[in-house]
């Protein structure tokens, strides 16, 4: 792994030029969406045949398929999943917000009413990317928020089957609306509805370039989560850290994707060199070596800072999706970390602990967007309404001022709306 | 105003097909952005000359210009503005969120750290749309969130001057970085920086189609607020309401824009007819009659329901930006209102009270998006980071399960990251 010393002038960035789709792909996606809007189920069926290579007559997953999924899932894994669900629920329940209101002395009441979205759709990729954890991390915040209707879509394999892990994860959460459909056609079905699927208000979940383009396309008609880029980890460590562990953590992100970025920041050149050697060593026996090696070579780096202060500044500039702090006293640095999606403190919190199990969400801002965005949250499935209730006396006290302000802005009808109340007790 | 009775089968919608820009406009916007990225201030200067018709050598507003703005502003209006600022601050301070954490019995600590964005840019339109209230409503949430650097941009008039109201509003909030620039070039300058402007993390504020397209274009590199559509009001009233007041409120939205939508929903045909007549009467003397009349004719409607229940269902289907409830007991209906940006209760809370003065934000979801989005909020200028700190005993208890789950998902390096810690006390 390459080692660089930090020079003051350097601008660090995790930013990769992410596939934004070709014009051709955008056109394809738009035409699929139009077709699903116009022809509903029949259009979805024909795209499933074309892209997934299977005729699906009734896309709704049956009770029998769920039962079969349970029988094919390792029972130890089911136990882990159940524990993970408990952890994720516990954490997300803390994110719930309450409606609030307050009264001014003049009797005016102001407030904010929090309401769950009516419905949400979750996209779960198929094939090797069919992660049960995606189901948990997207569905649990929506359930916790109080969303009443949650629809899950996921593309079938060529045999018409779905991943047992995905099915069991959905079933454990009580999701019954599971449809075998994927790609842009599934996003269109969620956004605009078909004969069998009612449209939803928000669509979340990862997917390939067609799914990402389709989500961008329907955004505005429905809400979407952020379009995620490739995964990233930054490890910040001092000389007390163990090179083997840091190397393993860097590789755990690198195996996701050739575009994944694994970065190590330290104030110790000795540690930097040891970690670099460990990465090379551990790469040799990795099943996904080819992917991980490409990621490490192209988007991985070890930055050596002169001081821990400089190292922390570098982390803040990178604004990583995942940040591990493995130093003598990681908690002591927490106050100085400004930008990171998820922060893992100490050697017993390697990133995979958070990916699956600990409780916080694994849907995180990538590509430097942790500067301004947040992990998927219960509040992403709620919306807020302002409440304004003026008392008669408060209204009368301020009516003249409000009308004057309206006129300053050139809006006469606004002023008249106020003044229409002033003729007291008249009709 | 046209009156319709509600038939069960009807699907109501406030949705208008909003100008999404032509391909030509998108191309123009993209080339402006590229030019500003490449040529910075000089590019901005040349677009200002071209589009605003004025050569601006140094776009930063001077102290002298601020002082001049104060002298030209009516002192009563300054007092109103100061009261509005106090009200808006008071309300938005209630939206502040705290970081939190909790410990599990096994010593694991989990949490959510709330941090303000480092910087934000606010776009304020020029000309007749140069509303001081836009400054207040966009800047105060950012200030309250703790954003340290706030930059305001607004296009100059042909004489190189800015609206005194806008300048005073900004000065009252302590904003010093005010730049005379507008259009796509100003958005590009905020997103990517120039020699004089450091880039910001988030851009908010209304603007014309070029501004909207530019915001869409830079989204991802920086955050943006929602692209607002034309304004809407739905008034829900029963026979206790006063027709003159309802008509005035409907017109206060209609005067904004020919695409504005003013809808009245009631269970009383008598009231419906009286309101319709009042609207026609009041239109006659409105300065912005032409705009308001077009809006009322094209996008206005009175819906008469058989029952109040049916009327409430209609409101929820419409999901309006602004909702006024003027009934015998408006508070009693609040629990049944699911979708609305801002809810105004009772005849002493006409919508203009909230536009300028009451405290809640006037940047609200339009075009039916109140189903899934919220008013501009302090939390829109903060982001959250998850915190995960596993104790050694918690880690050891679950390491095997977590590694097993990782392998279920086919991610061997994830499992090894966990297992690299298991060789206890070894280096």
């Amino acid at each position: 792994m390459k080692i660089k010393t930090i020079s003051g002038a350097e601008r660090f960035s995790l930013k990769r030029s992410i596939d934004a789709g070709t014009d051709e792909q955008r056109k394809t996606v738009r035409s699929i969406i139009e077709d699903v809007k116009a022809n509903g189920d029949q259009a979805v069926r024909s795209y499933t045949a074309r892209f997934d290579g299977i005729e699906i007559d009734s896309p709704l997953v049956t009770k029998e398929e769920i039962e079969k999924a349970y029988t094919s899932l390792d029972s130890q894994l089911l136990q882990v999943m159940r524990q993970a669900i408990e952890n994720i629920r516990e954490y997300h329940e803390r994110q719930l917000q309450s409606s609030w209101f307050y009264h001014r002395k003049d009797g005016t009441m102001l407030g904010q009413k929090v309401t769950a979205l009516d419905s949400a759709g979750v996209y779960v990729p198929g094939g090797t990317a069919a992660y049960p954890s995606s189901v948990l991390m997207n569905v649990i915040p929506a359930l916790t928020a109080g969303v009443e209707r949650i629809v899950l879509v996921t593309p079938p394999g060529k045999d018409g089957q779905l991943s047992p892990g995905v099915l069991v994860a959905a079933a454990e959460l009580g999701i019954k609306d599971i449809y075998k459909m994927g790609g842009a056609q599934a996003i269109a079905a969620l956004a605009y509805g078909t004969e069998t699927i009612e449209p939803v208000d928000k669509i979340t979940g990862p997917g390939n370039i067609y799914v990402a383009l389709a989500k961008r396309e329907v955004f505005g008609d429905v809400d979407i989560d952020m379009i995620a880029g490739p995964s990233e980890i930054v490890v910040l460590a001092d000389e007390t850290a163990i090179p083997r562990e840091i190397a393993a953590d860097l590789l755990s992100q690198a195996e996701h994707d050739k575009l994944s970025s694994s970065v190590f920041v330290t104030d110790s050149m000795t540690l930097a060199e040891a970690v670099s050697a460990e990465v090379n060593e551990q790469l040799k026996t990795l099943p996904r070596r080819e992917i991980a090696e490409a990621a490490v070579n192209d988007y991985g780096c070890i930055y050596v800072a002169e001081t821990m202060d400089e190292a922390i500044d570098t982390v803040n500039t990178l604004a990583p999706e995942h940040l591990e702090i493995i130093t003598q006293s990681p908690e002591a640095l927490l106050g100085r970390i400004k930008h990171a999606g998820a922060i893992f403190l100490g050697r017993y919190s390697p990133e995979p602990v958070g990916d699956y199990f600990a409780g916080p969400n694994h849907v995180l801002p990538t590509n430097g967007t942790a500067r301004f965005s947040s992990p998927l949250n219960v509040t992403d499935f709620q919306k807020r309404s302002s409440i304004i209730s003026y008392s008669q006396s408060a209204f009368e006290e301020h009516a003249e001022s409000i009308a004057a302000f309206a006129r300053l802005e050139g809006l006469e009808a606004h002023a008249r709306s106020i003044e229409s109340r002033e003729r007291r007790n008249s009709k």
Side-chain angles (χ1 to χ4, degrees), chain A:
Chain A
M1 229 177 141
K2 59 179 169 286
I3 299 179
K4 285 187 185 180
T5 54
I6 291 174
S7 79
E10 206 172 342
R11 296 271 299 209
F12 302 96
S13 176
L14 286 171
K15 196 138 192 162
R16 286 139 287 175
S17 65
I18 287 171
D19 189 1
T22 62
D23 283 350
E24 193 56 35
Q25 285 171 325
R26 283 167 206 257
K27 236 177 90 182
T28 304
V29 163
R30 270 191 222 119
S31 82
I32 292 172
I33 292 173
E34 287 313 312
D35 194 7
V36 172
K37 262 180 165 174
N39 302 307
D41 286 335
Q42 186 264 312
V44 174
R45 197 156 44 230
S46 91
Y47 291 113
T48 303
R50 190 157 128 205
F51 298 128
D52 302 308
I54 173 86
E55 298 274 351
I56 300 281
D57 284 330
S58 71
L60 184 67
V61 169
T62 63
K63 247 174 85 177
E64 291 69 36
E65 286 175 293
I66 299 285
E67 281 160 15
K68 209 180 124 203
Y70 270 96
T71 60
S72 69
L73 197 76
D74 181 284
S75 72
Q76 193 210 337
L77 292 178
L78 182 58
Q79 287 320 110
V80 182
M81 199 189 280
R82 285 180 176 163
Q83 179 63 54
I85 290 171
E86 204 175 294
N87 290 345
I88 298 166
R89 276 191 201 275
E90 175 197 86
Y91 183 84
H92 285 80
E93 276 164 11
R94 311 242 167 186
Q95 294 179 329
L96 267 170
Q97 292 190 304
S98 298
S99 301
W100 49 259
F101 61 88
Y102 65 102
H103 287 88
R104 290 192 180 133
K105 280 188 191 148
D106 61 16
T108 291
M109 187 268 275
L110 300 171
Q112 184 172 279
K113 181 174 189 267
V114 180
T115 327
L117 270 59
D118 283 346
S119 56
V122 173
Y123 189 93
V124 181
T128 54
Y131 299 141
S133 57
S134 291
V135 177
L136 307 186
M137 292 298 185
N138 283 279
V139 170
I140 292 175
L143 278 174
T144 307
V147 176
E148 288 195 356
R149 189 168 62 87
I150 300 174
V151 181
L152 199 144
V153 295
T154 184
K158 278 195 200 318
D159 56 358
Q161 302 298 302
L162 298 179
S163 147
V166 165
L167 287 182
V168 169
E172 286 290 311
L173 300 175
I175 304 302
K176 293 194 173 66
D177 285 351
I178 310 169
Y179 292 94
K180 294 180 185 174
M181 51 181 73
Q185 60 276 19
I187 300 297
L190 288 174
Y192 303 109
T194 67
E195 298 88 327
T196 55
I197 300 188
E198 281 275 301
V200 300
D201 293 315
K202 178 161 190 160
I203 302 174
T204 67
N208 66 15
I209 184 69
Y210 292 97
V211 171
L213 289 176
K215 280 167 71 181
R216 265 187 201 280
E217 205 64 41
V218 302
F219 177 53
D221 289 331
V222 301
D223 197 16
I224 61 167
D225 57 352
M226 275 229 139
I227 309 285
S231 199
E232 305 150 5
I233 192 169
V234 170
V235 181
L236 172 69
D238 63 18
E239 79 289 345
T240 64
I242 300 167
R244 183 187 70 236
E245 297 176 2
I246 295 173
D249 296 354
L250 294 171
L251 290 174
S252 76
Q253 287 308 297
E255 79 172 337
H256 273 298
D257 187 326
K258 287 184 179 178
L259 289 169
S260 296
S261 186
S262 297
V263 171
F264 177 42
V265 182
T266 180
D267 59 352
S268 160
M269 181 56 88
T270 317
L271 184 62
E273 286 168 349
V275 167
S276 176
E278 268 287 342
V279 166
N280 295 339
E281 196 55 37
Q282 292 183 24
L283 263 174
K284 290 181 187 159
T285 62
L286 263 197
R288 293 163 76 108
R289 171 179 183 165
E290 199 204 337
I291 293 172
E293 195 158 24
V296 164
N297 289 338
D298 295 344
Y299 300 102
C301 191
I302 299 177
Y303 292 114
V304 182
E306 299 245 328
T307 62
M308 193 40 79
D309 280 351
E310 200 178 54
I312 292 168
D313 287 347
T314 306
V315 169
N316 281 326
T317 310
L318 290 165
E321 181 190 17
H322 303 101
L323 171 66
E324 288 183 8
I325 306 181
I326 308 181
T327 57
Q328 184 81 49
S329 307
E331 291 80 4
L333 302 184
L334 189 55
R336 295 167 60 198
I337 301 299
K338 287 159 73 182
H339 311 301
I343 305 170
F344 297 78
L345 300 177
R347 63 178 284 230
Y348 293 109
S349 309
E351 187 275 339
V353 164
D355 263 357
Y356 307 101
F357 193 75
N361 211 288
H362 77 192
V363 180
L364 295 167
T366 55
N367 221 26
T369 61
R371 291 183 67 79
F372 51 76
S373 22
S374 306
L376 191 65
N377 195 295
V378 168
T379 57
D380 293 325
F381 294 95
Q382 297 177 319
K383 68 261 177 7
R384 288 149 288 285
S385 303
S386 310
I387 313 289
I388 298 172
S389 179
Y390 257 56
S391 64
Q392 180 171 354
S393 69
F395 177 80
E396 285 169 359
E397 187 185 338
H398 299 293
E400 201 188 321
S401 302
I402 298 169
F405 205 112
R407 290 204 170 93
L408 169 70
E409 299 201 333
L411 297 172
E412 176 65 22
H414 282 61
R416 292 189 190 176
S417 153
I418 300 292
E419 289 165 358
S420 73
R421 268 81 176 170
E422 288 187 307
R423 285 176 275 158
R424 247 173 282 173
N425 303 321
S426 70
K427 275 232 176 184

